[in-house]
Amino acid sequence: LIGAFSFIPYVDWAAHLGGFISGFFLGFFLFATKIKTFKWSMMWLTVGIVLTIGSFALAVHQMYSTVEAAKELSDVCGYYQEYFDDYQCNCELKRDQN
């Protein structure tokens, strides 16, 4: 179901994929305590912590080093006003009041 939302304009499929993978890794961390054997519980807890922190660090690194915003998103109000005739941007209302 969430994957279907990836086809909406300006919703990135990579964000949904990253959330799914991060949730999977976090599941190792959270459910490791349910394992009855202490050795396997600690092993999956460690794997979960390493994968969760590693995926978060990789995502932050990628976000700040390689991702650039699309030019058409620099004017969000203009984008919505182009497609919706009755759209009033709050940014413009605050700017006009000052």
Side-chain angles (χ1 to χ4, degrees):
L1 178 65
I2 302 240
F5 288 115
S6 296
F7 297 107
I8 297 173
Y10 298 109
V11 175
D12 192 10
W13 65 270
H16 288 131
L17 180 64
F20 175 76
I21 292 170
S22 296
F24 187 74
F25 292 160
L26 191 60
F28 285 134
F29 171 68
L30 293 175
F31 293 109
T33 58
K34 303 291 183 193
I35 298 173
K36 302 221 185 297
T37 309
F38 180 75
K39 179 178 98 172
W40 287 107
S41 177
M42 287 298 110
M43 194 266 306
W44 285 114
L45 180 70
T46 305
V47 167
I49 290 172
V50 168
L51 289 176
T52 301
I53 292 172
S55 64
F56 180 75
L58 179 65
V60 169
H61 177 268
Q62 287 293 98
M63 182 174 63
Y64 284 111
S65 66
T66 61
V67 175
E68 292 185 29
K71 300 230 187 256
E72 63 264 12
L73 290 179
S74 63
D75 183 20
V76 175
C77 289
Y79 170 78
Y80 283 116
Q81 287 172 345
E82 181 180 331
Y83 292 103
F84 303 107
D85 296 328
D86 59 343
Y87 180 77
Q88 287 185 332
C89 183
N90 292 334
C91 306
E92 291 177 0
L93 291 175
K94 289 178 184 176
R95 190 175 14 186
D96 292 341
Q97 290 174 355
N98 291 334

